[in-house]
Amino acid sequence: EVQLLESGGGLVKPGGSLRLSCAASGFAFNSHTMAWVRQAPGKGLEWVSSISSGSSYIYYRDSVKGRFTISRDNAKRLVYLQMDSVRGEDTAVYYCARESILIRNFDSWGQGTLVTVSS
Amino acid sequence: DIQMTQSPSSLSASIGDRVTMTCRASQSISTHLNWYRQKPGKAPELLIHSASTLQSGVASRFSGSGSGTEFTLTISSVQLEDFAIYFCQESYSTPPITFGQGTRLDI
């Protein structure tokens, strides 16, 4: 069974930093692109960042470029999202998601971790 | 960037009804379109990929159609667990990956 378990969310002050982690199990982790997708309270889904299976290709949405860093450790089956210089608009539930092979959709999701940016 | 627009933003139905919702892309995306259902307080789940292919394990009452810029998701007979928010997502371009704003299905 595919499982994705996020951790690391919490309350952070504007301008602060936080690192989210996603532990994966139940599938060939080093064969899949992984992504972070967020959802602000009461809002829709917003793709944040993706990292290819071997970390060769990394993408970010414009609003987080230069502030967030995605990385992965295939040996430990972990994906990370380092969030620096956070802003109020970064407040959201952050989901770790697995991309299907060959089709850029998200076929498995974690339960999400809440990040609240507030002073 | 490709923009995705869903309509209506909300709709009401009764159990057993047939419902249809629409997703429009700002440019042609062929059949690179996916649909998700998000139940309250839960993570989204993939229902349909490539516009019309049912994801493994998803109930057959869900169907998708369309190509180019206009797509539809149909639920043939709404069940209690289907009262949720539905999102479309294009998978045509390299990132950014874009979702529609969602359609809420209410009782």
Side-chain angles (χ1 to χ4, degrees), chain B residues 38-105:
Chain B
Q38 186 177 33
K39 299 176 184 177
K42 301 295 186 182
E45 52 185 320
L46 179 64
L47 298 175
I48 286 172
H49 68 83
S50 307
S52 60
T53 302
L54 201 64
Q55 176 71 358
S56 176
V58 173
S60 59
R61 62 181 181 274
F62 292 96
S63 64
S65 64
S67 66
T69 62
E70 187 155 336
F71 304 86
T72 59
L73 174 69
T74 298
I75 310 173
S76 61
S77 177
V78 173
Q79 302 302 301
L80 187 60
E81 61 266 30
D82 298 333
F83 293 102
I85 302 176
Y86 293 82
F87 294 96
C88 63
Q89 174 241 325
E90 62 82 18
S91 50
Y92 179 79
S93 58
T94 52
I97 296 168
T98 308
F99 292 88
Q101 82 280 14
T103 291
R104 180 186 301 273
L105 177 58

Side-chain angles (χ1 to χ4, degrees), chain A residues 6-65:
Chain A
E6 303 94 337
S7 60
L11 177 64
V12 59
K13 290 182 169 56
S17 296
L18 206 62
R19 188 175 85 157
L20 307 183
S21 300
C22 171
S25 61
F27 66 99
F29 180 72
N30 57 8
S31 295
H32 286 263
T33 291
M34 299 297 295
W36 290 94
V37 177
R38 68 185 179 185
Q39 187 170 36
K43 302 296 185 182
L45 300 170
E46 186 174 81
W47 168 81
V48 175
S49 180
S50 293
I51 184 167
S52 63
S53 57
S55 304
S56 297
Y57 299 96
I58 289 176
Y59 304 97
Y60 301 97
R61 68 179 303 103
D62 285 348
S63 61
V64 308
K65 279 180 186 174

Side-chain angles (χ1 to χ4, degrees), chain B residues 1-54:
Chain B
D1 298 352
I2 297 173
Q3 307 301 316
M4 307 300 294
T5 304
Q6 291 184 243
S7 61
S9 56
S10 65
L11 72 157
S12 298
S14 300
I15 291 174
D17 284 353
R18 180 184 181 89
V19 300
T20 298
M21 59 192 75
T22 298
C23 178
R24 289 187 174 85
S26 59
Q27 66 184 71
S28 177
I29 58 171
S30 184
T31 57
H32 298 279
L33 191 283
N34 310 294
W35 289 98
Y36 301 83
R37 174 179 66 181
Q38 186 177 33
K39 299 176 184 177
K42 301 295 186 182
E45 52 185 320
L46 179 64
L47 298 175
I48 286 172
H49 68 83
S50 307
S52 60
T53 302
L54 201 64

Side-chain angles (χ1 to χ4, degrees), chain A residues 95-118:
Chain A
Y95 294 102
C96 173
R98 184 184 83 168
E99 278 195 25
S100 300
I101 293 176
L102 298 181
I103 302 174
R104 195 175 295 111
N105 60 39
F106 305 111
D107 62 1
S108 294
W109 298 66
Q111 85 291 347
T113 187
L114 176 63
V115 173
T116 303
V117 181
S118 176

